[in-house]
Amino acid sequence: VGMAFDVTEKREALDALAAQERRQSFLLALSDRLRQLNGTEAVMAEASRSLGQHDFYPFVLSVSAVQKLHFIHSVIADTAAKR
């Protein structure tokens, strides 16, 4: 005498729960990354990358790159003002 149990519903429920947990983990990590960014373009680019897509814009400068460019601009402006 053998017995069989249909565990399909239980397996589907466990799979759905695991998928929901992965989704929540992804959204939390994405939120943490986006919170650190400044500017619409940077947020859109990071969101696109997180979804495996290309940037909407040809390029997006990081915060450190913008700071370096600002420094270079300041040096050039100061030098030009002294002439």
Side-chain angles (χ1 to χ4, degrees):
V1 174
M3 296 180 70
F5 295 98
D6 186 2
V7 295
T8 303
E9 286 182 25
K10 184 174 184 177
R11 181 77 255 162
E12 288 173 350
L14 289 172
D15 289 346
L17 180 61
Q20 180 65 18
E21 288 174 351
R22 286 191 303 273
R23 181 177 181 272
Q24 288 297 324
S25 177
F26 167 78
L27 291 174
L28 178 61
L30 177 61
S31 175
D32 289 344
R33 286 192 305 274
L34 295 181
R35 191 176 307 117
Q36 299 172 17
L37 301 175
N38 295 321
T40 305
E41 294 87 3
V43 170
M44 289 175 58
E46 181 61 32
S48 293
R49 281 186 230 119
S50 296
L51 296 171
Q53 302 295 317
H54 295 289
D55 292 346
F56 290 111
Y57 298 96
F59 62 90
V60 175
L61 298 174
S62 67
V63 172
S64 61
V66 171
Q67 291 170 339
K68 289 174 186 176
L69 288 171
H70 179 71
F71 171 75
I72 292 168
H73 174 77
S74 299
V75 170
I76 292 170
D78 290 346
T79 301
K82 291 177 183 177
R83 290 184 175 193

